[in-house]
Amino acid sequence: MAFQPYHTKTDRLAHYLYWGVGLGVLLFLILPILVVIPLSFSSDSFLSYPMPGWSLRWYEEVLTSEQWTSALKNSLLIGSAATLLATILGTLAAIGLNYADFKGKNLMLSLMISPMVVPLVISALGLYFFFAEMGLNASFLGLVLAHAILGAPFVLITVNATLQGFDRNLMRAASSLGANPWISFWKVVLPLILPGVISGGLFAFATSFDEVVVALFVAGPEQRTLPRQMFDGIRENITPAILAVSTLLTLFALALLSTLEWLRRRNERLQGR
Amino acid sequence: MELAVENNGPSLKDESRELKIRLRRSQRRQKMKALLLVAPLFLFTLIVFITPIALMMVRSVESPEVQNAFPETSKALMQWQATELPSVDIYALMVQEIRQSWADKTLSQAAQRINYEDPGFRSLLTRTARQLSRGSAPKTAAEAKALLIKTNAQWGELPTWQVIKNTAPAYTSYYLLTSLDLQKNAQGDIVAAPEDQGIYVNIFLRTLWIAFVVTMICLVLGFPLAHLLANAPSKYANLLMIGVLLPFWTSLLVRTSAWVVVLQKNGLINGLLESIGLINEPLILLFNRPGVYIGLVHILLPFMVLSLYSVMKSIPGTYMRAALSLGAHPVVAFFKVYVPQTLPGVAAGFLLCFIMSIGYYITPALIGSPQDQMISYFIAYYTNNVINWGMASALGAILLLASTLLFVLYARLSNRNQIKMG
């Protein structure tokens, strides 16, 4: 903003203060994440500046260690399976909710989004008891089901939001042109709501990929996920190897963020908003 | 067209009724289809989420252990008046069932359960069981009574039997009362627990206090940033927004580990301050309350900023300009005109942060001292460390109640359909 002659000194000071405070808070948010990234390239295990030299040894350690790679594999496996389940169920439910009005709709919606709201420790405790009776504790299936239920509300809400701007006449047009409901879903509805479905899926995947509380309760050593591995690492002794994983996860977050932003823009453009 | 209507005059009514029926039928079909689409997720939620939560609620009042180990004795004791020692028949049942449950290995759970209410009972029961199982079974009831009292004189005292009677029913208020620092006295009245045992109310208060402080800091820091985001020229605003969204999307373990590196004793902040000569001794920033505040604020701040931003974005600038042009001092105009318009966002952000922080586990567990642990930590502790599922469930039930009440308030304030993420 350019200052005008009528702006007093106080005005200018206030303006700088205003930007200063805002940017200061922003730095508080972003700086801790960025400032530890260079340390992951350190040639030594000291976690402080100045660094003695650069090296990729910590990345090598992470990528060759059995513990980290199996944790990554578990996380990807459980995350994908949970995302698939959550995305299918969430998308169908969102379409159903927008298809017609029926009794108890609001109650059903509240119950279906409740996993997002209930504190994780409580979900974890309940699932632990439930899985104990079903024999699902310390199993892949158990963790996949748990993560699917935590991720499904995100899919439901995102797809629901996309459907708010959906023109039902397009489906009518498709039927009048002879498409059966199945074809009109695949050829008309899905392509239009796909950005919402993908964002919802990404939300669900991110939820699973970053989830540690439920994993602490119901997973066994066989299902050790990446966050679980990090949790133990931070608790015991924090090394540059953890920061190397952190850096990779931050890059992942950046990729996720860009994808979502791109999808959001595409959606806005397509709907002419 | 007109002609046709006239010709079909008499049947017009029929036709419209027919049409209505068909319309209703097709609407019913649509409803069925909608329900069929919603059903899979609904049933999945019901089975994999609502049932487990209900199971937890039941566990907070369930007390099957004593009945499992001593079924007949429990039944008899529930009839017993508890004013004088039980009859010799009950003694005989007890001896028989102690021996039986020792062999079945159900005794230890009952001993554990009674031990919660009367510390020391586990060793009494185990010692008694070990001795009884060595000898042969008593032949008469009187012999059984004598034998039991011989193994330990406590069996000849009234309070011993009262405790078993109290723990015998299948449902108990013990866990919930203990979670609130209450207990039942011998007369069955609810009284405050002795001071050295009453720790949970303090933990709940601590949880609420930490959540409140964190939320207030988020509000104070989030307000100027949200205002900047909502009012900055769009070429900057997008860039600034990434600064809020990147932490929002970054794994919270990444952020927690970053804070450990930044705050620890030989961490970045202490290193920086020492190198410029501001301090000689490293500051203690980790494993204490300020550390927990910093970590939690960092995690919850994006939620506050986004809540405020969505409201601020929709406030037109004309009101402020009008106030200023009418001669209001900018500060007065800000507080009297602008701030009141942001209140829906403030309330939503406040509740959202508060709800999320009262249930937080990871960050306090990793960067707090034992004195900074919140209620979630104790739920995890009772589940995974000392196996006391009743206590874990009771604490969980209270936390769930608090969160649900707050969330209903939140939903009222920010019309549910408008919940958005990011």
Side-chain angles (χ1 to χ4, degrees), chain A residues 107-163:
Chain A
L107 181 70
M108 281 170 104
L109 179 63
S110 314
L111 285 179
M112 286 187 296
I113 63 169
S114 63
M116 200 171 89
V117 179
V118 171
L120 271 175
V121 167
I122 292 178
S123 314
L125 183 60
L127 285 165
Y128 176 69
F129 291 148
F130 181 65
F131 286 168
E133 313 233 325
M134 303 276 138
L136 283 175
N137 273 331
S139 73
F140 276 98
L141 179 62
L143 206 53
V144 167
L145 290 177
H147 282 181
I149 200 74
L150 294 177
F154 292 100
V155 180
L156 180 63
I157 289 187
T158 336
V159 178
N160 199 31
T162 319
L163 282 167

Side-chain angles (χ1 to χ4, degrees), chain A residues 179-193:
Chain A
N180 66 29
W182 183 249
I183 291 186
S184 89
F185 172 78
W186 283 106
K187 297 260 165 184
V188 179
V189 182
L190 195 60
L192 279 168
I193 63 169

Side-chain angles (χ1 to χ4, degrees), chain B residues 1-192:
Chain B
M1 203 58 202
E2 242 169 60
L3 209 74
V5 170
E6 248 167 49
N7 281 350
N8 296 334
S11 69
L12 191 63
K13 242 186 181 163
D14 290 347
E15 206 171 75
S16 88
R17 196 184 309 132
E18 172 81 357
L19 207 61
K20 261 186 199 154
I21 292 173
R22 268 167 51 192
L23 184 67
R24 219 173 293 145
R25 200 177 296 149
S26 111
Q27 277 176 343
R28 210 176 310 135
R29 230 181 2 244
Q30 276 206 330
K31 262 182 213 176
M32 282 311 295
K33 271 189 200 159
L35 266 173
L36 275 178
L37 287 168
V38 179
L41 180 60
F42 184 66
L43 291 178
F44 185 59
T45 313
L46 223 49
I47 296 168
V48 186
F49 193 75
I50 306 296
T51 311
I53 299 275
L55 215 57
M56 182 205 77
M57 302 293 261
V58 170
R59 290 251 188 198
S60 69
V61 292
E62 216 176 28
S63 168
E65 297 91 346
V66 175
Q67 283 195 4
N68 283 347
F70 317 131
E72 294 302 320
T73 318
S74 299
K75 226 177 277 169
L77 279 177
M78 280 194 263
Q79 304 294 323
W80 171 61
Q81 291 305 314
T83 46
E84 52 190 53
L85 281 179
S87 67
V88 286
D89 296 333
I90 295 185
Y91 272 96
L93 280 176
M94 190 79 223
V95 169
Q96 188 214 330
E97 289 188 330
I98 288 180
R99 290 167 60 100
Q100 183 63 40
S101 60
W102 177 256
D104 297 346
K105 309 227 182 299
T106 50
L107 182 103
S108 63
Q109 284 174 349
Q112 173 83 47
R113 168 69 186 92
I114 306 175
N115 201 59
Y116 293 150
E117 303 210 10
D118 182 4
F121 213 99
R122 180 171 32 203
S123 62
L124 170 66
L125 256 181
T126 356
R127 253 183 292 142
T128 306
R130 203 172 291 135
Q131 285 192 26
L132 287 181
S133 63
R134 274 194 215 122
S136 56
K139 291 183 185 63
T140 65
E143 204 180 302
K145 177 171 179 176
L147 179 68
L148 200 56
I149 293 175
K150 207 188 87 193
T151 59
N152 196 318
Q154 279 186 39
W155 290 110
E157 291 162 12
L158 194 56
T160 310
W161 292 94
Q162 279 170 341
V163 170
I164 304 180
K165 180 184 162 74
N166 287 342
T167 52
Y171 294 97
T172 177
S173 57
Y174 168 76
Y175 300 117
L176 284 170
L177 288 177
T178 308
S179 307
L180 298 168
D181 288 355
L182 299 170
Q183 64 180 34
K184 273 191 178 161
N185 63 12
Q187 284 75 46
D189 302 322
I190 293 171
V191 294

Side-chain angles (χ1 to χ4, degrees), chain B residues 335-411:
Chain B
F335 282 105
K336 290 232 160 177
V337 176
Y338 187 77
V339 172
Q341 297 183 81
T342 63
L343 285 183
V346 171
F350 190 95
L351 277 169
L352 187 63
C353 284
F354 195 80
I355 294 170
M356 294 187 68
S357 41
I358 58 171
Y360 234 84
Y361 172 64
I362 300 299
T363 308
L366 286 175
I367 59 181
S369 76
Q371 278 76 48
D372 307 313
Q373 296 307 329
M374 299 162 76
I375 196 67
S376 296
Y377 174 84
F378 291 89
I379 295 174
Y381 174 77
Y382 275 122
T383 318
N384 300 329
N385 296 34
V386 289
I387 313 292
N388 185 345
W389 292 355
M391 242 3 257
S393 303
L395 294 173
I398 295 174
L399 175 61
L400 180 63
L401 185 73
S403 319
T404 311
L405 287 179
L406 286 167
F407 189 77
V408 169
L409 201 63
Y410 172 80

